[in-house]
Amino acid sequence: MPAFIVHLIHTLFPKTVLFPDILLIDLGLVVGGIGLFIFMTKTHRWGWLWREWLTTVDHKRIAVLYLIAAIVMLFRGGIDAEMIRAQLALPGTHFMPAIQYDEVFTTHGTIMIFFMGMPFIFALFNAVVPLMIGARDVAFPRINAMSYWLFACGAILFNISFIIGGSPDAGWTAYPPYTGLAFNPGPGENYYFLALIIAGIGTTMTGINFLVTTVRMRAPGMTLMRMPLFIWSAMVTSALVLFAFPPLTVALAMSLFDRLFGSSFFTLGHGGMPMMYVNLFWLFGHPEVYILVIPLFGVFSEVVATFSKKQLFGYPIMVASILAIMFLSYGTWVHHFFTMGAGPGVNVFFGLSTMLIAIPTGVKIFNWIFTMWGGRIQFTVAMLYQLAFIPTFVIGGATGVMLAAVPADYQFHNSYFVIAHFHNVIIGGTLFGLLSGLYYWWPKMFGSKLNEKQGRVAFWLFFIGFWVTFSPQYLLGLKGMTRRLYTYPAGLGWHELNVISTVGALIMGAGFVALVFNIVWTLVYGERDLTGDPWDGRTLEWSLPSPVPEYNFARVPVVHARDAWWDMKQKGQSLAQLSPEDVHDIEMPRNTPVPFLLGVAFFVVGFALTFKWWPIAGIGLAGVFAIIIFSGFDYEDHHHLKAEVVRKTEASLGRLQG
Amino acid sequence: MSFKGLRKPYRSLALAAVAAGVVSTGCGQQYVVLHPVGPVGEQELHLMILAAIAMAVVIVAVFTLYFYAVARFRDKPGNAAPYRPEWHGHKLLETLWWIIPVVLLTVIAIPTVQVTYALDRLPKGKNPVVIDVTSLTWKWLFEYPGQHIATVNYLEIPTGKPVLFELTANSPMNTLWIPQLGGMEYTMPNRVLPLWLQADKPGMYWGDSGQYSGTGFEKMFFKVKAVSPKAFAVWASKTHATATPLTLASYHQLLKHDTMGQALYGSYPKDTFPSIASGFTLNGQGMYMTMHGPHGSIKYLPMSATQK
């Protein structure tokens, strides 16, 4: 065999990717891949896949793509979590080697935040935002598809690391100088930095897209103060994305430069300043926390009003508090490292700003409770997640305030108390919110309700599993257990609580299985919802049939009140009685392979840079520029949907008069 | 106490809760953060308790409203509770729940400011024992400049006296944490950060690194023995007289990426700790660490020395 091939094999498949479990997964992926290929070919689905999905610019389909990715990533991140808990259940275990454990907790955090939470949120944005504001698509449909494919490219790049070359192992925060070549010579951290930079470009574009969409594309009459809270949350989240991702990209790029080009921004020697990375990272990281939870504040505000059969309580205050959170979230980042010696003045400032941000958040909790007050609460699965969210998030918020008391944080920092706290808010806020949104909008996306009985089973497993997993971890923090420990000695009194926590993780795992069963069962046996408004909803998306036709609104509605659709229903109006002359030609974005190809080109760049294959990276980069330039001169980016076609579709849905 | 009045599933739950309580009080000492043995840990604990109480008030208030609302306003036939679908605001209530959190947070905020500043000063009139700490991959090097001795993964300190740790790293970042003495602080390359702690009771405690720094990081536990000042002086002079010296060559051995047990050294070479520090000051005590120290003058061994 030629020497360079031997070298290539050693580079791509070092010892760290040859553990038996990983080889088993390799085998599974190969068999699964071949099976899928044969299935797609036999059923002649490649053309369908290309035309309907890979080249689509329809926000509703992009939402489905995001959702599939998010659920697959929830699976991957969940498996990582189960492995962590298996390793930690008992003292002194060697369930897996230390190097693999380090990789697993790194990929768990990174995947759950960047490749599960974010795309799940964007799935909901894409599925709902245009429908809620009476628009036919987002402001920049093609850029929207590009965002997705850049995200997908980043996600794939990050996920293949564990079978090709080795995973990153520096934690999801990737603090230098541990990420430097001196301590971390493998390709893992290159994967991490490149995947996050590429996915981050996509996320930034999504931010711009939804900011413009919510500002510019609202139906006539939908003033700012008539926007549903979910739209407010989308707008604020987009603004946060826009200003939070640049510092992250800079920090990641500088770290990458240290590794690829021998610079010394954050290295151990040559005057590197690791703390500068920490500042840049959390300058992104703290707004990111709110990027992950504000959209779900929006979801909960819609869900609680719908299922309490009542207007949202204190709408202006809800808007004010969401804006206050947006501004304050940029002023709290140092609370992630009070223990880096910034001095008492700085620490006190950021401690107080952190307590300050708790106030608007607390106000929202009261408003949700008072939305239920005087209503009629229906215990649907979507509402159950809302009801679980309130107490869970309140406790998570309370421990957050404890962490903001600077000297107390000296004891809590990096301990399991912190782990318990942020899972308390991220699972209690983000995951419960995402699942609430999923159950709430599933009928709109797919045309049938998710089975409620099965949904309840999944809910209780998640909810109980969550508390069994994470309440012992608060106590472990008080017993001095620090995060990212591979294993721990017996005799510190940590193992009982760790066993309980692991049992909880298994219950949550069962919850995930129940969720997937629920989804698959519903896709196969689900009962079609013919009303388009199964929950007796309040906002415009429920005025449309499910699933929604390609052009969304045959005639763009005029909004007269805050809960526009509720208001129309109260007045006996309906969008379903269109007269044929109301329907005109509709300009729609045209499908294009550009976003998909851009993702492929970026993938080539990312993969080549990971292994420092400069010529290939150069070719990939040339491809990126060529595609962008081509796209800039591609004026055939839209087509006209004839009024006749729209009338036919509407008539077949029974929404046309005469 | 009788569980007979409870329904079956609740009965077993209550039993489990009691069992958990017994277990947790049985090994209560293992809640190290809750059992500080020095003034730093004590002040931090007091603040924790205060914050926990204030937050408990919030939790009780919210939970009361929440459970009441959920119980009363269910959508079931014949529910007599008022149904007011258009009720969307109440000025007094809304003002009230801006004020309540502000008050509670002020209760936490004021002592937070006080304690943060207080912990940043060494207690007046007491000469601290200085210990220069360098985190290595994956071990701790403790140098006692006053006693001219060094240890690895083992600390001995006098009781009743502040101990001033000067923290740096010749490794990825770590944090020095001895939970029963008080909170942690980072060790960072190219920086020296101060941290003072104090043990008032003699005893054996443990410390650890709180910041992940690689595959051997979980082996960075170390014992901390607090003894009377007299015993400390005896131990130090005995170590100085009998233990083998740490030479530059053996320091290079320490730089290898590996774990190790405890070690004592009768002396240690110069230049293993930054001579002029760049870090932040502990206010009020005229510390010699300057915030704007010339970076160039920090001496570190070249990275090549760390490669095997």
Side-chain angles (χ1 to χ4, degrees):
Chain A
M1 233 192 291
F4 82 93
I5 291 188
V6 175
H7 176 71
L8 186 68
I9 291 175
H10 278 296
T11 314
L12 295 182
F13 303 104
K15 262 188 267 167
T16 48
V17 303
L18 298 180
F19 296 127
D21 50 342
I22 295 179
L23 287 175
L24 207 67
I25 294 169
D26 290 345
L27 188 71
L29 288 175
V30 170
V31 171
I34 293 171
L36 195 66
F37 183 83
I38 293 172
F39 173 76
M40 295 293 281
T41 313
K42 281 253 163 126
T43 53
H44 305 286
R45 278 174 204 252
W46 290 110
W48 162 81
L49 182 70
W50 177 257
R51 280 188 309 273
E52 304 273 317
W53 296 100
L54 300 187
T55 60
T56 188
V57 291
D58 182 345
H59 68 96
K60 300 179 285 294
R61 286 176 182 261
I62 291 173
V64 174
L65 291 173
Y66 270 121
L67 184 63
I68 294 170
I71 290 177
V72 171
M73 289 295 99
L74 182 59
F75 173 72
R76 163 81 205 270
I79 292 286
D80 286 343
E82 301 293 348
M83 289 173 74
I84 293 171
R85 286 314 320 163
Q87 168 62 31
L88 290 179
L90 295 170
T93 14
H94 296 275
F95 177 75
M96 62 186 127
I99 177 72
Q100 196 181 7
Y101 176 78
D102 298 342
E103 294 177 352
V104 164
F105 71 66
T106 302
T107 51
H108 167 72
T110 314
I111 283 175
M112 285 303 199
I113 287 178
F114 291 101
F115 300 120
M116 190 288 285
M118 304 284 289
F120 211 140
I121 286 167
F122 294 153
L124 295 185
F125 281 4
N126 270 289
V128 181
V129 167
L131 305 181
M132 239 184 197
I133 60 175
R136 291 195 171 120
D137 207 314
V138 294
F140 310 114
R142 181 177 287 198
I143 290 183
N144 195 25
M146 286 181 182
S147 292
Y148 175 76
W149 288 110
L150 289 194
F151 150 76
C153 149
I156 293 170
L157 194 61
F158 187 83
N159 276 281
I160 58 168
S161 63
F162 87 103
I163 48 175
I164 302 174
S167 291
D169 68 342
W172 84 276
T173 49
Y175 277 8
Y178 183 62
T179 53
L181 287 174
F183 301 101
N184 218 323
E189 289 305 316
N190 291 351
Y191 270 122
Y192 172 93
F193 293 126
L194 285 158
L196 289 197
I197 289 172
I198 293 169
I201 298 170
T203 306
T204 312
M205 295 197 303
T206 305
I208 295 169
N209 213 338
F210 279 91
L211 195 57
V212 177
T213 304
T214 49
V215 171
R216 297 282 303 156
M217 307 277 287
R218 302 194 306 274
M222 185 179 278
T223 57
L224 283 177
M225 290 306 273
R226 282 183 191 160
M227 291 199 306
L229 244 285
F230 186 64
I231 301 302
W232 269 110
S233 77
M235 189 189 268
V236 163
T237 306
S238 303
L240 282 171
V241 164
L242 198 55
F243 290 98
F245 270 73
L248 175 71
T249 309
V250 168
L252 297 176
M254 287 164 92
S255 293
L256 191 65
F257 272 42
D258 282 0
R259 291 178 59 84
L260 293 183
F261 308 122
S263 58
S264 292
F265 294 113
F266 311 129
T267 55
L268 177 67
H270 309 288
M273 301 277 270
M275 195 175 165
M276 295 315 275
Y277 173 91
V278 178
N279 268 291
L280 284 170
F281 185 87
W282 288 111
L283 195 50
F284 145 81
H286 204 78
E288 168 70 12
V289 173
Y290 288 94
I291 291 169
L292 282 173
V293 80
I294 285 180
L296 296 321
F297 288 174
V299 171
F300 288 129
S301 301
E302 303 305 330
V303 166
V304 73
T306 301
F307 296 112
S308 302
K309 302 278 132 229
K310 188 163 165 290
Q311 262 193 50
L312 186 70
F313 191 85
Y315 176 95
I317 298 288
M318 290 298 245
V319 173
S321 61
I322 223 170
L323 290 172
I325 292 171
M326 175 177 84
F327 286 110
L328 289 172
S329 73
Y330 286 106
T332 60
W333 80 92
V334 172
H335 73 211
H336 294 273
F337 47 98
F338 283 145
T339 49
M340 281 193 182
V346 172
N347 279 355
V348 157
F349 175 89
F350 283 94
L352 297 190
S353 70
T354 305
M355 293 181 192
L356 210 57
I357 205 168
I359 297 170
T361 317
V363 165
K364 297 183 86 66
I365 298 274
F366 282 115
N367 277 336
W368 285 316
I369 293 176
F370 274 75
T371 303
M372 301 192 282
W373 205 280
R376 281 292 176 270
I377 304 169
Q378 296 170 324
F379 293 87
T380 58
V381 176
M383 187 64 187
L384 283 179
Y385 278 109
Q386 153 90 22
L387 291 173
F389 153 78
I390 291 178
T392 310
F393 201 77
V394 165
I395 290 175
T399 54
V401 171
M402 292 173 71
L403 288 165
V406 180
D409 180 77
Y410 296 160
Q411 286 281 39
F412 291 140
H413 184 83
N414 270 1
S415 76
Y416 262 77
F417 194 90
V418 172
I419 306 290
H421 158 72
F422 70 69
H423 283 93
N424 208 161
V425 282
I426 292 187
I427 293 179
T430 307
L431 187 66
F432 287 1
L434 290 169
L435 294 175
S436 179
L438 184 72
Y439 278 85
Y440 182 53
W441 282 308
W442 184 274
K444 191 46 61 189
M445 293 174 79
F446 297 97
S448 57
K449 277 192 204 178
L450 282 168
N451 181 293
E452 287 273 311
K453 231 180 215 167
Q454 295 163 11
R456 260 166 235 276
V457 173
F459 164 78
W460 283 110
L461 288 170
F462 269 124
F463 181 63
I464 295 169
F466 164 77
W467 278 108
V468 176
T469 310
F470 292 101
S471 38
Q473 295 189 7
Y474 280 115
L475 301 177
L476 280 169
L478 298 178
K479 284 187 166 189
M481 182 161 168
T482 52
R483 71 193 297 194
R484 294 172 181 166
L485 279 178
Y486 165 53
T487 182
Y488 52 89
L492 296 172
W494 295 355
H495 59 280
E496 298 95 339
L497 292 167
N498 270 304
V499 168
I500 297 173
S501 185
T502 301
V503 170
L506 290 173
I507 299 175
M508 288 190 83
F512 179 79
V513 173
L515 174 73
V516 171
F517 179 83
N518 191 187
I519 288 173
V520 173
W521 191 92
T522 305
L523 286 174
V524 179
Y525 302 108
E527 205 176 313
R528 284 274 302 177
D529 162 52
L530 298 171
T531 62
D533 186 11
W535 311 119
D536 196 8
R538 313 179 70 85
T539 39
L540 283 176
E541 75 274 26
W542 303 110
S543 70
L544 296 170
S546 310
V548 180
E550 182 199 353
Y551 48 83
N552 299 354
F553 295 88
R555 181 189 57 182
V556 171
V558 180
V559 174
H560 297 287
R562 206 166 270 160
D563 289 338
W565 174 234
W566 186 260
D567 176 60
M568 289 176 193
K569 286 193 282 191
Q570 297 298 311
K571 292 178 184 155
Q573 300 167 349
S574 161
L575 295 185
Q577 278 111 47
L578 273 178
S579 73
E581 52 269 27
D582 285 338
V583 179
H584 305 286
D585 287 4
I586 295 174
E587 190 189 314
M588 293 301 294
R590 186 195 287 277
N591 284 4
T592 164
V594 162
F596 177 72
L597 295 177
L598 189 66
V600 172
F602 260 110
F603 182 83
V604 172
V605 177
F607 191 72
L609 280 183
T610 299
F611 292 98
K612 302 195 197 181
W613 298 338
W614 307 116
I616 299 177
I619 293 168
L621 208 59
V624 168
F625 282 111
I627 292 165
I628 292 174
I629 290 166
F630 167 79
S631 180
F633 289 97
D634 179 16
Y635 298 111
E636 301 292 308
D637 60 351
H638 60 278
H639 66 112
H640 285 89
L641 204 60
K642 290 274 172 268
E644 223 13 73
V645 180
V646 178
R647 278 189 206 115
K648 230 186 205 168
T649 314
E650 292 291 308
S652 74
L653 293 162
R655 296 164 65 87
L656 205 62
Q657 285 174 347
Chain B
M1 200 171 177
S2 159
F3 300 113
K4 281 198 175 154
L6 294 167
R7 275 165 54 192
K8 230 181 184 175
Y10 297 111
R11 202 185 302 167
S12 52
L13 259 180
L15 281 170
V18 171
V22 170
V23 169
S24 59
T25 45
C27 39
Q29 283 298 324
Q30 287 173 333
Y31 287 94
V32 279
V33 171
L34 304 182
H35 293 93
V37 294
V40 178
E42 271 162 19
Q43 289 182 70
E44 287 163 348
L45 178 63
H46 291 159
L47 202 62
M48 257 177 233
I49 292 170
L50 177 77
I53 292 171
M55 287 299 106
V57 173
V58 174
I59 290 173
V60 168
V62 172
F63 277 37
T64 311
L65 291 172
Y66 166 84
F67 283 111
Y68 180 79
V70 173
R72 181 139 190 248
F73 299 102
R74 288 159 170 260
D75 184 30
K76 57 179 181 198
N79 189 346
Y83 177 49
R84 293 186 287 166
E86 301 304 320
W87 189 50
H88 58 83
H90 190 289
K91 287 246 162 61
L92 180 70
L93 281 177
E94 286 173 66
T95 319
L96 197 66
W97 54 68
W98 284 92
I99 293 172
I100 296 171
V102 171
V103 171
L104 283 167
L105 288 174
T106 311
V107 169
I108 307 175
I110 291 169
T112 294
V113 176
Q114 288 169 335
V115 178
T116 307
Y117 275 93
L119 289 183
D120 206 61
R121 290 171 168 77
L122 279 163
K124 280 210 175 89
K126 283 188 174 175
N127 275 334
V129 177
V130 178
I131 301 179
D132 288 342
V133 182
T134 311
S135 70
L136 303 172
T137 312
W138 298 282
K139 57 198 83 73
W140 294 98
L141 174 63
F142 301 109
E143 298 170 341
Y144 294 69
Q147 287 70 26
H148 309 290
I149 55 170
T151 63
V152 168
N153 290 344
Y154 177 75
L155 267 181
E156 190 147 334
I157 55 170
T159 51
K161 255 188 167 186
V163 180
L164 175 62
F165 295 98
E166 301 177 334
L167 305 163
T168 194
N170 201 352
S171 70
M173 293 192 274
N174 284 282
T175 71
L176 181 86
W177 192 26
I178 307 165
Q180 283 193 275
L181 302 194
M184 63 180 83
E185 187 80 13
Y186 272 81
T187 65
M188 273 187 263
N190 307 342
R191 286 271 194 213
V192 176
L193 299 180
L195 169 73
W196 77 272
L197 298 170
Q198 180 175 323
D200 285 339
K201 269 190 242 165
M204 196 62 114
Y205 311 110
W206 57 267
D208 183 18
S209 168
Q211 174 65 31
Y212 165 74
S213 59
T215 46
F217 140 83
E218 82 280 0
K219 297 277 164 55
M220 290 178 78
F221 282 96
F222 57 93
K223 288 246 154 47
V224 183
K225 191 176 179 189
V227 294
S228 68
K230 238 187 211 160
F232 173 74
V234 171
W235 170 78
S237 58
K238 192 182 146 209
T239 305
H240 184 54
T242 58
T244 48
L246 177 70
T247 60
L248 263 184
S250 47
Y251 180 75
H252 284 180
Q253 290 295 312
L254 292 181
L255 290 180
K256 280 187 181 165
H257 296 185
D258 208 350
T259 60
M260 67 178 273
Q262 301 176 0
L264 299 178
Y265 301 101
S267 66
Y268 61 92
K270 271 193 213 163
D271 301 339
T272 51
F273 199 79
S275 52
I276 297 177
S278 135
F280 295 86
T281 64
L282 271 180
N283 291 342
Q285 284 291 307
M287 290 288 303
Y288 44 83
M289 279 182 250
T290 67
M291 202 168 151
H292 305 288
H295 301 295
S297 53
I298 299 171
K299 282 182 191 152
Y300 278 104
L301 292 160
M303 271 309 299
S304 57
T306 70
Q307 309 296 333
K308 282 179 196 173

